[in-house]
């Protein structure tokens, strides 16, 4: 067993399971990361980075599954380590958000794909030479699956806009 | 506090702190991930992916720092969340490894940058449409810093080869 203590919390407009876009890369939704006072010293010189990696705890994942119907494909189960589903043995999420402004311990970001109140375990700067592998081959995940994820993310944003207009 | 239980363990030729390359992207070193029997069902259909994301626990990180001298730059401290140093409040590492072969619960990979025995918390498939941001801007991290990381990684590999030859 390994104990981690959250260093901050996500503030997002998404409050119910299933509401957020499936991937931060397809989200233009704004949100904030509130870094707790005792960790704010760790934010020094973060302002120069355009993108941050958030490691978060999917604290409202319902179960810890070994196989799962992927969010993009209700037809066939895959091993959980071959999917990005949140029902994982260790429900740790990776989000890549665009940093728009730092205001003390508050990081204003776009690309939100997390539920409001999600605990943040770590923040790392995104560095393309370390993190970007444009040529990676994606196994069972086809262009069609990715397009479905993109479409679902747009629907999630539209639902949010409708909700804000009281529709 | 959030409890996680490792789902596997890294086998690598690196046994002492400071020996591994600083980033998996600059490493050509081979290693394996041994997924524990009770989690091996989660590997179904992982074989088609060329690259995997490993989330690991830097279990031999010495301290949990809020500022740190980056590995690429001994001159100036930066906030820990603006660096990729392993001495983090929650010492969780991200490695991107190339998957070469799956043998039951054993994943043969290249791009090893972890110490032998490092606990693995999660494995996710790398999907460029989700994970690759080639245009991200890297703040204080200059081309010179990245070049230094690359050079240090080559030195780490050379040291390993020399060690194997008994030099």
């Amino acid at each position: 067993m390994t104990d981690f203590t959250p260093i901050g919390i996500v503030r997002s407009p998404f409050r119910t399971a299933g509401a957020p876009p499936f991937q931060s890369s397809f989200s233009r939704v704004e949100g904030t990361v509130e870094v707790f006072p005792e960790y704010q010293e760790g934010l020094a010189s973060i302002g120069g980075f355009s993108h941050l990696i958030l490691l978060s705890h999917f604290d409202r994942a319902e179960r810890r599954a070994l196989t799962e119907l992927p969010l993009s494909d209700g037809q066939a189960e895959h091993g959980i380590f071959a999917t990005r589903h949140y029902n994982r043995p260790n429900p740790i999420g990776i989000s890549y958000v665009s940093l728009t402004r730092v205001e003390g311990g508050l990081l204003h970001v776009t690309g939100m794909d997390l539920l409001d109140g999600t605990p943040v375990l770590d923040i790392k700067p995104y560095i393309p030479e370390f993190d970007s592998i444009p040529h990676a081959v994606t196994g069972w995940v086809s262009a069609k699956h990715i397009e479905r994820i993109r479409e679902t993310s747009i629907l999630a944003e539209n639902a949010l806009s409708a909700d804000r207009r009281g529709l």
Side-chain angles (χ1 to χ4, degrees), chain A:
Chain A
M1 296 263 278
T2 307
D3 289 337
F4 295 113
T5 303
I7 56 112
I9 192 169
V10 162
R11 292 298 169 203
S12 109
F14 301 112
R15 300 217 154 73
T16 51
F22 289 158
Q23 292 293 328
S24 51
S25 47
F26 298 144
S27 167
R28 293 161 305 175
V29 174
E30 296 178 7
T32 56
V33 178
E34 292 180 19
V35 175
F36 298 139
E38 60 271 37
Y39 296 105
Q40 291 179 4
E41 191 187 345
L43 295 175
S45 54
I46 206 166
F49 294 91
S50 64
H51 292 76
L52 302 177
I53 303 173
L54 305 183
L55 296 182
S56 65
H57 175 211
F58 291 140
D59 61 332
R60 276 152 286 179
E62 291 147 22
R63 60 197 194 93
R64 303 191 168 200
L66 287 179
T67 61
E68 190 57 83
L69 287 173
L71 299 171
S72 63
D73 180 2
Q75 303 298 308
E77 292 212 336
H78 294 279
I80 198 70
F81 302 127
T83 87
R84 302 289 285 260
H85 205 288
Y86 44 77
N87 285 339
R88 317 181 71 75
N90 291 310
I92 303 175
I94 299 186
S95 302
Y96 308 96
V97 291
S98 299
L99 180 63
T100 50
R101 194 156 52 91
V102 182
E103 191 186 341
L106 206 62
L107 307 176
H108 294 266
V109 302
T110 60
M112 188 49 72
D113 66 341
L114 296 165
L115 284 172
D116 187 51
T118 297
V120 176
L121 300 173
D122 197 13
I123 302 168
K124 299 180 198 284
Y126 190 98
I127 299 175
E129 287 82 355
F130 302 168
D131 302 307
S132 179
I133 312 174
H135 60 278
V137 175
T138 60
W140 68 265
V141 178
S142 67
K144 200 174 98 182
H145 289 118
I146 290 165
E147 199 43 45
R148 203 172 304 156
I149 294 278
R150 192 193 305 270
E151 285 165 9
T152 311
S153 298
I154 294 168
L155 290 178
E157 283 192 41
N158 290 348
L160 185 70
S161 307
D163 192 46
R164 282 177 166 160
R165 294 197 307 274
L167 301 175

